[in-house]
Amino acid sequence: MSNRHRKSIDDIKAQLDGPVMSIPTSFLADGSIDYDGVANVIEVGIASGTRVSLLTIGDSQLAFMRDQEVADITRFVVDRAGG
């Protein structure tokens, strides 16, 4: 990530106003991430007024994912939530 996209701590704190949503990860029967389900959660959250979507170790099940899965879902959430 280039420095021009980095936000200061004060900028980040200012964004943590209003509803904050911890994203639960949906999985398919084969154990893979259900990206359509995750997208739906993000879209409902945004439509409901949340400006912050978080991946957390508990709700998002990050502790049970491989490193590449964590990287993939992180990129997906950032892209889907509009940065």
Side-chain angles (χ1 to χ4, degrees):
M1 178 191 285
S2 71
N3 285 333
R4 67 186 176 107
H5 294 293
R6 291 186 184 246
K7 296 181 187 239
S8 72
I9 291 174
D10 289 335
D11 290 336
I12 293 168
K13 285 180 182 179
Q15 289 184 320
L16 296 175
D17 182 40
V20 175
M21 179 176 57
S22 177
I23 309 240
T25 302
S26 305
F27 293 95
L28 299 172
D30 67 0
S32 63
I33 297 170
D34 177 4
Y35 285 100
D36 289 335
V38 173
N40 187 52
V41 170
I42 293 167
E43 290 168 14
V44 168
I46 291 170
S48 299
T50 190
R51 293 182 10 198
V52 179
S53 298
L54 301 173
L55 291 168
T56 63
I57 198 159
D59 289 343
S60 306
Q61 304 298 315
L62 298 179
F64 302 103
M65 293 183 194
R66 293 186 296 292
D67 290 345
Q68 188 60 55
E69 290 174 314
V70 172
D72 292 345
I73 195 167
T74 300
R75 173 53 43 205
F76 180 82
V77 169
V78 169
D79 291 344
R80 194 64 179 221

